[in-house]
């Protein structure tokens, strides 16, 4: 329990806060306790934006541009100067001092609002980057995965409308016919991105979605559906509004997404088999097979669906499938993807070519495939989920997103979560360096780079997806730190980012072994870099926000980590 004394001054600013909560006590705090009812938001305006028709908008502006301009200048509770650190209590992690908002916060909110995309008078998302270059590529689109930190920032700031609109619009896009050449994609596939096309002559707006048919490599986004389910849960937990998730359309959308993953096939593992480029790392980077990012998101989406699905006929049957898969997936990941010093030593001593149900080296991993760097990288106390495990294949690289989501979803046990944080602290120079946070570690280079990436000029060593440093990952690190009772790690990373992030123009990523250089092809004013920073700050300021993106461990899903002598899942 937190004991907090707040002393305010007449202008509403917080003068001092006295908290008796310790970091240890924070680890026992139940972050899932959020208000049962929606926040009492003052949504009354002179005229609702939803009621405005395109003919009411000023001439010379498209509907979205005029709406967003009006939204930016509206005198309402949505002003960032009235939320998020400007009149909210000091963080429970403070030292009894007044919370003084960093100058970057106001700048970040202004940039985030400028990135808003509107469709027929309603905000429906944020574009990937406020890019003024002539070659925008697809950075002027709303990406499902990119919008997640933006959505969390708006939810934490008491602005659920844009999140609700996004959920409904992407749900509508899911029902579209999805075709690449002559092949039809599954009905449950969610778009990677969408954009709004404005026709000023006809005064109309149209949504155009990309399901992978326009993406580099033509790969469908496996993670989009998982992020959509996770975001729907976050919206429900934040607002207390269950009506959205209970809509028949949303219930059907969840079932369609999960039916793609839970269908029977030739799989002998409970993990999902994926192509390269199907997630945040959307280019060829050797993550094909069973990448940790997809498995962790899959687990979290399954846990979220358990919370969202109605206990009716089709929902009940799907829940039974989910429970079985969760048991198998948690056991498989905690047993075979986990690497610490003991397991590393066991692999080093593995026998190969074992053919029996009692085999120890079930995946036939060759000890000689252990990379040199991993022996020095593994600390005495610490561990992590490796990047990939399959037949005679173990990718020993450390991937940030997968490990952080494993903590937030409770795929990682409490002991494993602690070990992951120990690793980050022990290997701060490698994983954080001068700009948080490495998307993976280490970089692949030389001949291996040529073979794995196909000589990709964007993924050269220590750049972009090849061990580049991505500021957006700050929010995931911060959430994981708070859940494990280690907020000081997050604060240290945020303070490091604040020294350069705004000055460098909010880049998409940084290059170099320690993240010293702005990425050679990084776009400036990258929206999820901005939103990731805001979410990280708001989480530290008010840790109760963690409840919308963290799932506590289900004791029924905690098997004894004793490896089975059979392949039965």
């Amino acid at each position: 329990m937190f004991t907090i004394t707040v002393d305010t001054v007449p202008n509403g600013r917080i003068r001092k806060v006295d908290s008796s909560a310790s970091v240890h006590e924070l680890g026992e705090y139940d972050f899932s306790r959020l208000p049962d009812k929606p926040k009492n938001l003052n949504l009354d305006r002179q005229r609702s934006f939803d009621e405005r028709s395109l003919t009411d908008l000023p001439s010379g502006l498209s509907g979205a541009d005029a709406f967003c301009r009006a939204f930016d200048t509206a005198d309402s509770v949505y002003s960032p100067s009235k939320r998020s650190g400007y009149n909210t209590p000091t963080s429970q992690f403070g030292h009894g001092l007044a919370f003084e908002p960093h100058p970057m916060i106001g700048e970040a909110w202004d940039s985030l609002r400028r990135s808003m995309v509107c469709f027929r008078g309603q905000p429906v998302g944020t574009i990937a980057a406020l890019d003024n270059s002539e070659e925008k590529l697809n950075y002027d689109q709303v990406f499902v995965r990119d919008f997640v930190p933006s959505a969390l920032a708006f939810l934490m700031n008491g602005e659920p409308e844009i999140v609700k609109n996004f959920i409904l619009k992407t749900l509508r896009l899911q029902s579209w016919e999805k075709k690449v050449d002559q092949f039809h994609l599954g009905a449950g596939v969610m778009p990677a991105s969408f954009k709004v096309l404005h026709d000023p002559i006809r005064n109309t707006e149209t949504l155009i979605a990309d399901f992978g048919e326009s993406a580099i490599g033509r790969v469908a986004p496996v993670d989009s559906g998982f992020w959509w389910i996770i975001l729907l849960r976050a919206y429900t937990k934040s607002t207390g509004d269950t009506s959205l998730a209970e809509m028949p359309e949303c219930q059907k959308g969840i079932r369609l997404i999960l039916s793609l993953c839970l269908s029977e096939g030739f799989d002998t593992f409970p993990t999902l088999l994926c192509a390269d480029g199907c997630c945040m790392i959307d280019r060829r980077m050797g993550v094909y097979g069973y990448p940790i990012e997809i498995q962790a998101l899959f687990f979290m989406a399954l846990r979220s669906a358990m919370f969202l699905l109605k206990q009716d006929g089709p929902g009940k049957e799907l829940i039974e499938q989910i429970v079985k898969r969760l048991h198998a997936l948690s056991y498989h990941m905690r047993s075979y993807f986990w690497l610490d010093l003991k397991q590393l030593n066991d692999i080093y001593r593995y026998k190969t070519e074992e053919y029996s149900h009692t085999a120890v080296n079930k995946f036939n991993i060759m000890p000689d495939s252990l990379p040199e760097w991993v022996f020095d990288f593994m600390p005495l106390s610490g561990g992590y989920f490796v990047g990939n495990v399959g037949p005679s294949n173990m990718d020993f690289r450390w991937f940030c997103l997968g490990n952080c989501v494993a903590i937030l979803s409770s795929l990682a046990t409490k002991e494993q979560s602690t070990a992951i944080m120990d690793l980050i602290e022990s290997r701060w120079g490698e994983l954080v360096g001068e700009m948080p946070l490495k998307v993976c570690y280490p970089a692949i280079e030389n001949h291996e780079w040529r073979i794995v990436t196909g000589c990709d000029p964007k993924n050269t060593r220590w750049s972009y997806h090849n061990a580049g440093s991505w500021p957006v990952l700050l929010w995931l690190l911060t959430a994981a730190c708070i859940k494990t009772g280690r907020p000081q790690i997050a604060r240290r990373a945020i303070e490091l980012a604040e020294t350069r992030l705004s000055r460098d123009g909010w880049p998409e990523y940084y290059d170099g072994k320690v993240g010293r250089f702005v990425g050679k092809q990084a776009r400036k004013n990258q929206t999820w870099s901005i939103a990731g920073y805001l979410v990280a700050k708001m989480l530290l300021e008010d840790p109760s926000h963690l409840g919308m993106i963290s799932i506590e461990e289900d004791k029924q899903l905690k098997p004894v980590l004793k490896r089975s002598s059979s392949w039965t899942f």
Side-chain angles (χ1 to χ4, degrees):
M1 293 291 294
F2 290 110
T3 303
I4 304 174
T5 302
V6 180
D7 185 12
T8 60
V9 291
N11 64 2
R13 292 291 296 276
I14 301 300
R15 187 166 63 194
K16 64 179 180 179
V17 173
D18 178 36
S19 171
S20 62
S22 65
V23 169
H24 174 72
E25 291 169 331
L26 179 70
E28 302 299 323
Y29 184 71
D30 183 5
F31 290 110
S32 63
R33 293 183 298 175
L34 287 175
D36 294 329
K37 297 181 179 180
K39 297 176 182 177
N40 183 20
L41 300 178
N42 178 18
L43 300 180
D44 185 22
R45 303 182 182 179
Q46 290 181 349
R47 186 175 183 189
S48 169
F49 288 120
D50 295 343
E51 298 170 354
R52 293 190 181 185
S53 66
L54 294 179
T55 56
D56 292 333
L57 299 173
S59 60
L61 292 175
S62 67
D65 290 339
F67 170 80
C68 290
R69 179 175 298 184
F71 191 93
D72 287 342
T73 58
D75 183 15
S76 70
V77 297
Y78 291 153
S79 170
S81 64
K82 300 181 182 179
R83 294 299 300 256
S84 182
Y86 287 82
N87 71 338
T88 49
T90 304
S91 166
Q92 284 89 335
F93 302 133
H95 303 283
L97 301 176
F99 178 80
E100 291 297 334
H102 196 281
M104 283 172 57
I105 294 177
E107 176 192 342
W109 273 112
D110 289 342
S111 296
L112 184 60
R113 296 194 188 284
R114 287 199 305 273
S115 73
M116 290 172 59
V117 174
C118 302
F119 179 67
R120 297 178 182 172
Q122 292 184 327
V124 293
T126 52
I127 59 174
L130 290 166
D131 189 359
N132 295 321
S133 64
E134 293 183 2
E135 188 182 7
K136 288 183 170 57
L137 296 177
N138 55 358
Y139 283 84
D140 61 346
Q141 298 187 23
V142 179
F143 281 81
V144 172
R145 75 175 68 95
D146 290 39
F147 181 66
V148 171
S150 296
L152 295 177
F154 286 122
L155 287 174
M156 292 177 185
N157 203 43
E159 304 179 44
E161 179 188 14
I162 186 174
V163 183
K164 182 177 182 178
N165 294 338
F166 171 85
I167 290 171
L168 291 174
K169 287 296 179 290
T170 47
L171 180 64
R172 181 70 181 272
L173 294 173
Q174 184 194 42
S175 65
W176 285 15
E177 181 184 39
K178 299 173 277 286
K179 187 176 179 181
V180 178
D181 294 332
Q182 300 301 312
F183 183 74
H184 290 266
L185 280 68
V189 175
M190 279 288 186
S193 62
F194 66 87
K195 68 183 299 183
V196 178
L197 286 185
H198 311 287
D199 187 337
I201 298 176
R202 296 182 180 180
N203 204 25
T204 59
E205 294 179 333
T206 307
L207 287 179
I208 295 181
D210 175 21
F211 294 91
E213 70 272 22
S214 300
I216 297 173
R218 303 300 187 266
V219 179
V222 177
D223 63 337
S224 286
F226 298 152
W227 279 123
W228 186 88
I229 294 175
I230 292 166
L231 186 56
L232 179 57
R233 176 188 176 273
Y235 171 88
T236 306
K237 294 285 285 185
S238 175
T239 64
D241 175 18
T242 60
S243 63
L244 177 62
E246 291 175 351
M247 289 174 56
E249 295 85 356
C250 282
Q251 292 289 306
K252 181 182 178 181
I254 296 171
R255 293 196 300 268
L256 286 174
I257 292 169
L258 295 185
S259 66
L260 292 172
C261 313
L262 299 176
S263 59
E264 295 180 352
F266 292 98
D267 302 296
T268 53
F269 315 136
T271 42
L272 287 181
L273 180 62
C274 304
D276 235 336
C278 65
C279 50
M280 177 184 174
I281 298 179
D282 58 2
R283 300 167 76 92
R284 183 176 164 189
M285 266 295 295
V287 298
Y288 59 87
Y290 306 92
I292 178 61
E293 177 176 335
I294 291 298
Q295 314 314 321
L297 287 172
F298 180 34
F299 185 88
M300 191 166 190
L302 291 174
R303 292 290 310 275
S304 298
M306 290 278 290
F307 171 78
L308 296 167
L309 284 170
K310 297 172 68 174
Q311 299 278 352
D312 55 12
K316 183 178 180 180
E317 182 179 347
L318 184 58
I319 287 174
E320 292 174 356
Q321 290 182 271
I322 291 173
V323 170
K324 291 180 182 178
R325 191 59 166 263
L326 282 171
H327 278 283
L329 185 59
S330 60
Y331 175 83
H332 185 90
M333 297 298 296
R334 294 169 181 176
S335 300
Y336 302 115
F337 273 67
W338 182 251
L339 187 70
D340 54 19
L341 192 62
K342 180 183 180 304
Q343 180 63 10
L344 180 60
N345 205 159
D346 289 345
I347 297 172
Y348 179 71
R349 293 168 50 84
Y350 266 169
K351 295 179 181 179
T352 59
E353 310 301 327
E354 295 179 294
Y355 184 81
S356 73
H357 291 300
T358 59
V360 175
N361 184 7
K362 291 185 176 180
F363 294 91
N364 199 34
I365 304 300
M366 306 296 170
D368 287 345
S369 70
L370 282 164
E372 293 276 343
W373 63 265
V374 76
F375 295 101
D376 294 327
F377 180 71
M378 183 62 68
L380 293 175
S381 175
Y384 63 103
F385 290 99
V386 296
N388 215 315
V389 177
S392 294
N393 174 51
M394 183 172 283
D395 183 349
F396 292 91
R397 285 178 294 175
W398 180 88
F399 288 83
C400 176
L401 193 152
N403 276 274
C404 287
V405 171
I407 292 175
L408 294 176
S409 65
S410 292
L411 171 59
T413 64
K414 289 186 178 180
E415 295 76 16
Q416 288 172 335
S417 297
T418 298
I420 293 171
M421 301 311 300
D422 288 344
L423 176 82
I424 293 174
E425 271 198 313
S426 299
R427 298 294 175 257
W428 185 267
E430 292 89 341
L431 301 180
V432 180
E434 296 180 13
M435 176 57 67
L437 194 66
K438 288 296 180 189
V439 64
C440 66
Y441 181 89
I444 53 177
E445 48 190 325
N446 302 325
H447 181 65
E448 185 183 14
W449 167 78
R450 289 189 287 271
I451 297 298
V452 172
T453 72
C455 300
D456 187 350
K458 195 167 185 177
N459 273 331
T460 54
R461 63 178 184 174
W462 308 112
S463 179
Y464 201 47
H465 296 140
N466 191 6
S469 300
W470 291 69
V472 64
L473 297 172
L474 266 176
W475 81 264
L476 283 161
L477 174 66
T478 302
C481 288
I482 293 173
K483 183 171 183 180
T484 55
R486 310 275 279 271
Q488 69 280 2
I489 299 178
R491 186 182 299 109
R492 182 182 174 191
I494 291 172
E495 290 174 352
L496 192 60
E498 286 176 338
T499 62
R500 292 187 54 192
L501 197 53
S502 173
R503 186 185 68 194
D504 291 339
W506 304 95
E508 179 182 13
Y509 64 94
Y510 285 78
D511 285 355
K513 207 166 187 177
V514 294
R516 182 170 298 168
F517 306 100
V518 173
K520 59 184 175 182
Q521 295 188 42
R523 299 300 171 112
K524 297 292 186 74
N525 296 305
Q526 187 78 13
T527 304
W528 71 352
S529 296
I530 295 165
Y533 167 75
L534 286 172
V535 172
K537 293 289 283 188
M538 286 189 282
L539 280 169
L540 274 184
E541 176 191 337
D542 184 358
S544 68
H545 288 312
L546 186 68
M548 71 175 79
I549 50 173
S550 174
I551 303 176
E552 295 306 311
E553 186 173 27
D554 186 342
K555 301 301 181 183
Q556 295 181 348
L557 293 177
K558 190 174 182 180
V560 177
L561 292 182
K562 182 178 180 181
R563 300 192 180 193
S564 173
S565 61
S566 72
W567 286 105
T568 303
F569 296 107

